[in-house]
Amino acid sequence: MSILVNKDTKVIVQGFTGKEGTFHSQQCIDYGTKIVGGVTPGKGGQTHLGRPVFNTVKEAVDATGATVSLIFVPPAFTADAVMEAADAGIDLAVIITEGAPVKDMMYAKMYGTKKGMKTIGPNCPGIITAEECKIGIMPGFIFKKGPVGLISKSGTLTYEASNQVVKEGLGITTAVGIGGDPIIGLSYKQLLPLFEADPETEAIVMIGEIGGTLEIEAAEFIKQNITKPVVAFIAGQTAPKGKRMGHAGAIISGGQGTAQEKMEALRNAGVHVVESPADIGKTVAQVLGK
Amino acid sequence: MNIHEYQAKEIFREYGVPVPRGEVAFSGPEAKEIAQKLGGDLWVVKAQIHAGGRGKAGGVKLARSPEEVEKIAEEMLGMTLVTHQTGPEGKKVEKVYIEEGADIQKEYYLGMVLDRSSEMPVMMASTEGGMEIEEVAAKNPEKIIKVAIDPTIGFQGFHGRKLAFSLGLSKEEIRPFIQFAEALYKVYMDKDANLIEINPLIKTGDGKFLALDAKMGFDDNALFRHPDIHEMRDLSEEDPVEHEAEKYGLSYVNLDGNVGCMVNGAGLAMATMDIIKHEGGEPANFLDVGGGASAQTVAKGFELILQDENVKSIFVNIFGGIVRCDRIANGILQATKEVEVNVPVVVRLDGTNANEAAEILKNANIPNIIPATDLADGAKKAVAAAKGEL
Ligand SMILES: Nc1ncnc2c1ncn2[C@@H]1O[C@H](COP(=O)(O)OP(=O)(O)OP(=O)(O)O)[C@@H](O)[C@H]1O
Ligand SMILES: [Mg+2]
């Protein structure tokens, strides 16, 4: 078991024939993901990486039965691509693109929600169900199968965490990189109950960072609804106020959104909060008694 | 990206958000000329820096004659203004804004930001205008009224009424206030702003609303479609090293410590700062060299870090994913040939081909390159090296 995606999930790629799209689609195919086609307007009818290319998402969905779309479309056109996916009946859009305007994503997410489409990202590494299906840009080999669900705002920190978990002799069910932008799709609050319900997931790792209140909302939710152990790390304990730390969402404004307040809220919710990012794997092993 | 008050007011004018008349000046005589042109008998000279709290720090001064405007402008230009938002080093004043004096009956606060929980823009108003709004937000949050505006319906009368009534405005004042707020919403949306603050918004003796102060920030990701705003960027307001980094696609923020950090990925970069602190050191910077971490970006990274004279050691913490560690190791070696690195460099490479990378670094046998096995080991060594204990 896993959450959201597995070895049978059919995936199309928007921005399939571009440089990024091509490289990462190939990596996904090599990992075993069922990439069933792609969309590049104007290139419909061609074949790319041995898969059919379509002009529109609707055509791709009709022809392949895909339910997930992996999006590599450049920032200026990302929202358009997301809304096209929603309009075509896609269930889940995984948006890798970095640098999409916040206003665009605000509209795109609203429209997606209206059409019943979930989104992951933008500006994220994607989602991977270990040893089954990788829909994103993460290095697949780090994610060995095991009992730990992973939710993270950051890309490389996701790899770091998974690597630590695997070094402890454990592994990952599904890892979701939710992205660090001010407006993102699925977040802790929506993903936690999925892991709670997944029989293979025994513990959950949650990686957050400064800025916004998603981690605080997650803490409240965990207190009420999550019985599985949660281990959390919040990046940016040493970040100065008012500065953008790489991610557009990672700004502490007016003393709000600090790592300290998030760690405090999570601790109060019974979460095992680690101060050092080197202790994530160890702590997971401890709470699982392994 | 942030802009100056005078620039924000230019945008406001374009959108019909009422502001007092005024112009920017770069010298005393120019300031005097502007004052004469504006006419009247009261002027305000305002230091143009990207920080609030100017009033309390002596950066906003009233003048009663064009000669006085000139004198004040001359004093202000070139001075370093230290406010609660500039940090102790302050900011040098390079231009002043000369504005007609307003007849202030009451001061309010009006602002807009993206509300990340409702994922909509929110307009905020308060009767506690003029003073530090952060303080009000902390001590009396109930005094700030917030209205989220669903962009699919846009600004409606009811949004305006909700704010107006909570501000205790009279029947006659409601219409002009709503017009003001509606124009402000349009500015915010059209220009891809992520912050607008008007503190104070004033009601004048004759019942009009005017923006006396104006702060605007924009979504960097949307600047590509606003060349006019991009042009308003004032590089003298930014850290030159941060700007240099940006040119090379790197993200750098200078900090106070002495352990330089070079990391791939923003989250891991923040985590690296945290672990350095955790191990008893102080990070000198945030630096995300991105996913690629090529010889070129690593070389540039060393250059940026070493511009800070406080740096006593460097921690290179790279998690190689798609980009293999052996290539990164070679990149680091190449970079140390291009840039003279005179402090110990602790290198932790993990992920794809980590073992090969370790071999490469070992065989290169460069005395100031110290390999580390994992995150904790690397942080410990970097901190020890900065203290001269390695
Ligand atoms: N045109 C004007 N006419 C009369 N008074 C003015 C004018 N402009 C500013 N002031 C007065 O000076 C005070 C400070 O100015 P302003 O708010 O622009 O700067 P500030 O101190 O940097 O603000 P903040 O701390 O909110 O960032 C205002 O609250 C107002 O009382
Ligand atoms: Mg002010």
Side-chain angles (χ1 to χ4, degrees), chain B residues 359-381:
Chain B
E359 263 323 283
I360 291 170
L361 291 179
K362 214 176 92 196
N363 294 338
N365 217 345
I366 300 177
N368 68 336
I369 292 194
I370 304 156
T373 51
D374 61 22
L375 189 50
D377 182 50
K380 280 193 187 102
K381 284 179 174 159

Side-chain angles (χ1 to χ4, degrees), chain B residues 5 9 20 42 44 46 51-56 60 62 84-85 99-104 107 130-133 197 199-200 202 212-215:
Chain B
E5 172 190 9
K9 284 181 171 172
L42 184 65
V44 188
K46 307 178 81 175
R54 295 167 300 166
K56 280 186 192 153
V60 178
L62 289 175
H84 70 280
Q85 286 185 6
E99 192 171 66
E100 57 183 354
D103 166 21
I104 305 175
E107 298 194 331
M131 51 186 283
E132 284 163 38
I133 197 71
E197 271 198 312
N199 190 24
I202 61 153
L212 270 211
D213 192 4
K215 286 194 180 53

Side-chain angles (χ1 to χ4, degrees), chain A residues 70-226:
Chain A
L70 175 58
I71 300 180
F72 287 104
V73 174
F77 314 105
T78 308
D80 179 13
V82 174
M83 293 190 268
E84 184 183 355
D87 183 64
I90 286 287
D91 292 337
L92 173 68
V94 181
I95 314 157
I96 306 300
T97 310
E98 178 178 354
V102 173
K103 184 170 77 180
D104 295 8
M105 293 318 300
M106 178 167 76
Y107 284 115
K109 188 178 173 189
M110 281 180 179
Y111 184 67
T113 308
K114 189 172 154 191
K115 288 282 178 178
M117 182 181 78
K118 298 185 190 78
T119 50
I120 293 176
N123 189 11
C124 78
I127 175 170
I128 183 166
T129 288
E131 294 167 25
E132 291 194 29
C133 128
K134 155 178 131 110
I135 306 174
I137 59 172
M138 60 288 267
F141 78 97
I142 299 166
F143 299 85
K144 298 269 180 306
K145 218 176 191 33
V148 182
L150 180 53
I151 313 170
S152 168
K153 273 188 180 172
S154 143
T156 37
L157 208 42
T158 312
Y159 317 157
E160 174 70 43
S162 176
N163 195 48
Q164 287 183 26
V165 166
V166 169
K167 277 189 178 160
E168 294 293 332
L170 299 162
I172 301 292
T173 47
T174 301
V176 190
I178 61 176
D181 275 9
I183 290 190
I184 56 171
L186 295 177
S187 165
Y188 307 108
K189 229 167 105 174
Q190 292 85 42
L191 293 165
L192 285 162
L194 304 182
F195 280 125
E196 175 78 12
D198 173 35
E200 271 179 16
T201 300
E202 292 169 31
I204 305 162
V205 171
M206 179 184 147
I207 293 169
E209 62 187 31
I210 52 166
T213 54
L214 292 176
E215 293 85 351
I216 307 265
E217 289 163 32
E220 201 49 47
F221 185 85
I222 290 168
K223 209 194 248 172
Q224 309 288 343
N225 305 288
I226 303 296

Side-chain angles (χ1 to χ4, degrees), chain A residues 102-104 160 236 238 249, chain B residues 116 189 219 225 264 274 348:
Chain A
V102 173
K103 184 170 77 180
D104 295 8
E160 174 70 43
T238 48
Chain B
R116 289 171 60 170
M189 293 304 285
D219 176 8
R225 59 189 175 205
N264 63 335
D274 294 345
R348 180 262 178 151

